[in-house]
Amino acid sequence: MSDVEHRDARISERILESMRDGVITIDLTGRIITFNGAAGRILGKDPTEVLGHSFAEEFLAEESFDDFNEVVFKAVYEATTMHSVEVALQVEGKRTDLLVASSFLTFDGDDGEEQRFGVVVVFSDMTEERKRRKIKRLFGEYVDPRIVDRILSSTEAARNRRGDMTISFVDMRDFTGWSERLDTDALVDLLNRFLAAMTEPISAAGGITDKYIGDSAMACWGAPFTEDATQARDACRAALGQINALPELRTALVANGVEHAENLDAVVGVATGDVLSGDIGPPSSRNFTVIGNAVNIAARLQEAAKAYGQKILVAEETAKRAGEGFVFREIDRLTVRGSQRPVTVFALLGTPEDVDPAVLELVDTYQSGLAAIRAREWDKARKAFNACLEIDPVDVPAAMMLERVDAFEADPPPASWDGVWRRAQRAMINHPPLK
């Protein structure tokens, strides 16, 4: 062998050993002439003990290699240039899934005709890839594909992350009443159609539907799944989409004969803040989820939306980050159950082009009333809130604030009062029902 031929052979050997795919070549006598390290690792054989041996001796005696052998022999006995198929082997007691390709090796003879001189078999370990595909098939209908991809592609440490996210909860109103009026099948159908209608705007706005909790759905926006800079805006867009989806859903339910379907309603709570996201739970039943104060606030705002007579309530941080493309109405400063941290709460009314000028007048008048009540100017506050009711006689927040003015005038808050309506204080007021 010349120096050039020797060099080329060494290069070929190094290339074969660096490959992640297994490579076997067999001459026409059935002798194994190439068996790289990857082939040994995948098939559980020592290359030094296999090279030069008969392929039949090494593989035909083991039943677990039957499908693998069939692909190899197709290259010998069939005229097709390349054969490729997925096969499953039992290697050292474990299932190994392979993508195996085989073809014959040829050279041009002295007469110019193509001559066969052996077979090459190349195979890849597809075990992990098959597992990934199976998981995606199993969970694709229930879990956002981005969550599945993150679970499959990340280490446990990388899957867990702490940072700002925007969380929303949407909830069907009067679910207890619906459950009393409908039989089981009709109730399940109603729930499925409601949650489907509420989930679509989440997806359209790029959000992750984290979970369904009875008649409510929790969603999140932010890194690593969505654009961090637009998370609050996207969540607000989704919340408006959820409320706007209700008329079409009501119409469809009425057409299907669901009684009182015209009364179907929903409320949404949205909050932005620091959360922990990742695989939470014991090893036997972990789930991807998001936990933190922002999750609690969003859930409580969804509850509070009913009492304040609003469709969508958002926390101050969400309103700030959402920007000027939305109309917000400050509703109150309060503490929510499970937290002592004050939250300034806003109602999301829509986009500027969609909000009626009369509503904008009510927003400004109500804001002046809030400023007056916080300044302990009871008469001025009462006048502002009465003006709100002249604009909208069924405005729940204005009616609530009038009751609060009366309560504070009769029993003024302490000098240290910071304008926050706390849970103990809220017990003083009989909140009117949502109109």
Side-chain angles (χ1 to χ4, degrees):
M1 180 183 294
S2 68
D3 290 342
V4 172
E5 290 174 332
H6 182 72
R7 183 198 63 190
D8 290 346
R10 291 291 303 274
I11 291 173
S12 296
E13 288 176 6
R14 290 182 180 179
I15 292 173
L16 282 173
E17 288 308 310
S18 68
M19 293 177 65
R20 297 179 61 184
D21 292 343
V23 178
I24 302 174
T25 56
I26 309 163
D27 65 19
L28 292 180
T29 69
R31 184 172 61 93
I32 299 172
I33 56 177
T34 300
F35 198 95
N36 71 346
R41 290 191 298 272
I42 294 171
L43 300 180
K45 293 182 178 290
D46 185 344
T48 61
E49 297 179 357
V50 172
L51 278 172
H53 288 211
S54 165
F55 181 85
E57 290 178 5
E58 296 294 335
F59 290 95
L60 295 188
E62 297 184 41
E63 186 178 341
S64 63
F65 286 106
D66 284 352
D67 292 339
F68 180 82
N69 296 335
E70 184 177 345
V71 183
V72 176
F73 291 138
K74 279 187 175 181
V76 177
Y77 296 115
E78 297 184 12
T80 306
T81 303
M82 177 73 73
H83 302 272
S84 181
V85 68
E86 289 189 21
V87 301
L89 309 180
Q90 288 293 324
V91 178
E92 297 177 345
K94 296 182 180 179
R95 175 181 169 129
T96 300
D97 295 295
L98 302 180
L99 177 62
V100 184
S102 67
S103 64
F104 51 78
L105 298 172
T106 63
F107 68 95
D108 291 334
D110 295 336
D111 57 1
E113 294 293 325
E114 189 179 73
Q115 303 289 324
R116 295 188 186 187
F117 70 91
V119 172
V120 60
V121 185
V122 181
F123 46 95
S124 306
D125 189 342
M126 301 290 291
T127 307
E128 290 303 315
E129 178 60 28
R130 184 180 285 270
K131 287 180 180 177
R132 291 169 188 263
R133 293 202 301 262
K134 183 177 180 181
I135 290 173
K136 285 190 175 184
R137 285 197 303 270
L138 287 173
F139 294 101
E141 296 181 9
Y142 302 99
V143 179
D144 190 291
R146 287 167 290 179
I147 296 177
V148 178
D149 288 339
R150 183 166 176 78
I151 291 173
L152 291 174
S153 63
S154 306
T155 63
E156 182 174 346
R159 291 196 295 268
N160 300 327
R161 179 186 179 278
R162 184 167 185 172
D164 282 354
M165 295 188 82
T166 298
I167 313 298
S168 83
F169 282 85
V170 60
D171 180 74
M172 181 191 296
R173 292 215 61 233
D174 189 31
F175 178 72
T176 301
W178 286 107
S179 63
E180 292 173 348
R181 291 190 293 269
L182 300 177
D183 62 33
T184 301
D185 290 343
L187 183 62
V188 170
D189 181 66
L190 174 66
L191 266 178
N192 288 339
R193 295 175 68 171
F194 172 78
L195 292 174
M198 296 300 99
T199 301
E200 187 173 337
I202 295 171
S203 299
I208 294 280
T209 300
D210 179 271
K211 62 173 64 69
Y212 299 109
I213 311 168
D215 60 326
S216 68
M218 172 184 166
C220 58
W221 286 261
F225 300 111
T226 70
E227 287 294 329
D228 185 65
T230 64
Q231 57 174 278
R233 185 174 71 219
D234 295 338
C236 288
R237 184 159 57 90
L240 290 173
Q242 289 169 326
I243 299 304
N244 291 336
L246 290 172
E248 182 177 347
L249 177 60
R250 293 187 193 110
T251 300
L253 292 170
V254 168
N256 287 350
V258 178
E259 293 186 10
H260 309 293
E262 66 278 4
N263 298 324
L264 181 71
D265 213 343
V267 287
V268 186
V270 189
T272 302
D274 183 52
V275 298
L276 174 65
S277 62
D279 295 344
I280 309 297
S284 60
S285 58
R286 288 189 177 181
N287 290 301
F288 174 85
T289 192
V290 180
I291 58 175
N293 193 49
V295 179
N296 178 57
I297 291 174
R300 303 311 174 201
L301 292 186
Q302 168 252 301
E303 295 172 356
K306 302 171 186 177
Y308 283 97
Q310 304 302 304
K311 301 293 186 184
I312 307 168
L313 284 185
V314 308
E316 181 177 20
E317 184 65 18
T318 304
K320 284 181 178 178
R321 294 196 186 195
E324 298 179 353
F326 303 95
V327 176
F328 294 101
R329 172 190 179 184
E330 184 178 347
I331 297 295
D332 205 352
R333 289 180 191 163
L334 48 85
T335 58
V336 300
R337 179 159 51 95
S339 176
Q340 293 301 312
R341 186 182 304 170
V343 181
T344 302
V345 179
F346 293 79
L348 172 57
L349 304 180
T351 57
E353 59 271 20
D354 295 331
V355 177
D356 190 276
V359 175
L360 297 177
E361 181 185 355
L362 186 149
V363 170
D364 292 339
T365 305
Y366 185 84
Q367 189 67 45
S368 67
L370 288 179
I373 200 172
R374 290 164 185 165
R376 303 168 187 265
E377 298 174 348
W378 313 126
D379 288 341
K380 185 176 180 180
R382 185 179 287 109
K383 181 179 179 181
F385 296 132
N386 276 321
C388 289
L389 291 175
E390 291 178 5
I391 299 172
D392 181 2
V394 295
D395 185 61
V396 175
M400 292 174 67
M401 289 299 169
L402 280 174
E403 291 188 20
R404 195 175 299 182
V405 168
D406 292 339
F408 279 155
E409 194 169 37
D411 184 14
S416 60
W417 182 55
D418 56 5
V420 177
W421 190 242
R422 291 180 167 81
R423 292 186 67 214
Q425 295 169 324
R426 291 204 292 276
M428 298 162 48
I429 304 296
N430 293 318
H431 290 179
L434 176 63
K435 299 296 184 182

